[in-house]
Amino acid sequence: MMLVDFILLTKLFLFWISEWYISLVVLILMFAGFEAGFRMGIKSPAVNDEKRRNVITNFQVGLISLLGLMIAFTFAMAVSRFDDGRTLLAEETDALETAYYRSDLLPDSTRTKLHDVLREYIDIRLLFYQPKLDESKVLEVNRQTRNIQKKLWSYSPEITKELPDYLAAVILESFNKLINASNKRYIAMENHVPEVIFFLLFLISILTNVAVGYSCGIAFDRHIFFTILFSFCVCTILLVIMDLDRPRRGMILVSQDSLLELKKEIEKKKK
């Protein structure tokens, strides 16, 4: 287990750090980059050289454009993963509901046992989506999920024995969809924006502020208000992107209402 935790930690270094801390550090580094650029600009001989000033301005505009492109690209990746999470949750809920109601085709004894297993399965899947679930607990929930899936398939001889082939195939197909949905959901939850992209975003953000500071230094004017506004806007966007990329914690979470509603509906039916 320690080896698994170490591999996960080295693979997802930023993932284990609060997005608020990361954004704050980037904000401080952006301010520091601006100040460094400003001081270099003051000492630059380009103050009285119009051509050099134009080159520096073009450099600055290019960096800002590159930063905007990187933010748009990364934001689109994060939103796409978030939307996939919602879609796959709806797919798994539908698969669970289908499996539950198709099992009504079975005789009472087998149907009751399958209903109990499926209710237990719903509880386990709700645990999987629980906010702030750490990686060790995720692995444990996945182990329990696989055990219940095996238990479901263990009823296949009874199902094929008690029902005609075409009805047995319908029920077994619903079990298969249930397993596929949980596997796809796990893969989607673990599919994050590559951390190298975040590091590149941080670097470009800081370098952009260095370039802005350099231009302000040449003009002997810090433009503090606009610098702070620009830095805060960039860091806020980075915060939102990282929050979207962390499906179990943060401000933006995939709602589990559909799965909870299914659980309530099944419990009412049981009564």
Side-chain angles (χ1 to χ4, degrees), residues 19 21-22 25 33 40 63 71 75 84 114 121-122 128 134 142 165 168 185 219 223 226 242 258 264:
E19 60 269 28
Y21 292 145
I22 296 172
V25 169
M40 287 188 290
L63 276 172
I71 286 175
F75 190 83
D84 286 345
L114 273 177
Y121 190 80
I122 291 173
F128 177 75
D134 62 49
N142 283 335
D165 289 345
R185 179 68 173 168
H223 296 290
F226 294 104
M242 286 185 284
S258 59
K264 290 177 183 177

Side-chain angles (χ1 to χ4, degrees), residues 3-268:
L3 178 60
V4 172
D5 291 342
F6 176 75
I7 292 171
L8 289 169
L9 182 62
T10 54
K11 190 177 178 181
L12 295 171
F13 173 71
L14 291 177
F15 186 79
W16 306 111
I17 304 173
S18 170
E19 60 269 28
W20 291 94
Y21 292 145
I22 296 172
S23 301
L24 180 61
V25 169
V26 173
L27 182 64
I28 292 171
L29 290 175
M30 287 183 72
F31 287 153
F34 174 85
E35 185 63 24
F38 182 81
R39 295 189 180 188
M40 287 188 290
I42 290 176
K43 299 176 182 178
S44 172
V47 175
N48 299 316
D49 189 337
E50 190 64 29
K51 289 184 179 179
R52 288 193 65 186
R53 291 180 66 176
N54 288 336
V55 169
I56 292 167
T57 301
N58 291 335
F59 235 169
Q60 175 187 330
V61 171
L63 276 172
I64 293 174
S65 300
L66 179 61
L67 176 61
L69 181 64
M70 282 292 300
I71 286 175
F73 172 73
T74 311
F75 190 83
M77 289 180 68
V79 169
S80 174
R81 283 157 171 74
F82 183 78
D83 286 340
D84 286 345
R86 291 193 298 184
T87 302
L88 291 171
L89 174 62
E91 182 180 323
E92 183 168 24
T93 303
D94 182 64
L96 268 164
E97 186 174 12
T98 301
Y100 190 89
Y101 286 111
R102 283 185 181 180
S103 62
D104 285 343
L105 297 169
L106 291 160
D108 289 344
S109 58
T110 308
R111 180 177 67 241
T112 301
K113 289 186 286 187
L114 273 177
H115 281 181
D116 289 340
V117 173
L118 286 168
R119 279 193 291 270
E120 183 183 357
Y121 190 80
I122 291 173
D123 291 336
I124 293 296
R125 298 313 293 163
L126 282 170
L127 280 178
F128 177 75
Y129 305 133
Q130 185 178 336
K132 298 182 180 180
L133 193 66
D134 62 49
E135 197 64 30
S136 61
K137 291 181 180 177
V138 171
L139 294 173
E140 175 61 22
V141 168
N142 283 335
R143 186 188 64 79
Q144 294 177 19
T145 298
R146 287 192 296 271
N147 288 339
I148 296 179
Q149 289 169 352
K150 290 176 183 177
K151 191 184 293 186
L152 281 173
W153 276 111
S154 70
Y155 288 102
S156 55
E158 291 183 46
I159 294 171
T160 54
K161 182 180 178 181
E162 294 173 346
L163 292 177
D165 289 345
Y166 69 95
L167 288 179
V170 165
I171 295 177
L172 294 177
E173 180 195 10
S174 67
F175 291 171
N176 189 51
K177 286 183 179 179
L178 190 65
I179 294 170
N180 288 340
S182 68
N183 290 338
K184 287 194 287 185
R185 179 68 173 168
Y186 175 74
I187 292 170
M189 291 280 273
E190 299 303 314
N191 186 22
H192 304 286
V193 175
E195 292 206 340
V196 65
I197 294 179
F198 281 119
F199 283 116
L200 188 58
L201 258 177
F202 302 155
L203 178 62
I204 294 173
S205 300
I206 295 165
L207 290 178
T208 299
N209 255 24
V210 172
V212 171
Y214 194 86
S215 295
C216 290
I218 290 173
F220 289 95
D221 190 348
R222 273 192 167 86
H223 296 290
I224 293 176
F225 174 76
F226 294 104
T227 301
I228 292 174
L229 183 63
F230 173 75
S231 301
F232 267 105
C233 286
V234 170
C235 289
T236 301
I237 295 171
L238 293 177
L239 175 66
V240 172
I241 292 173
M242 286 185 284
D243 196 80
L244 283 168
D245 193 49
R246 300 171 179 200
R248 289 193 185 91
R249 64 181 192 268
M251 301 175 290
I252 307 171
L253 300 172
V254 175
S255 173
Q256 312 303 321
D257 288 347
S258 59
L259 203 54
L260 288 169
E261 285 297 322
L262 176 60
K263 181 180 178 180
K264 290 177 183 177
E265 185 178 336
I266 287 173
E267 286 174 348
K268 286 180 182 178

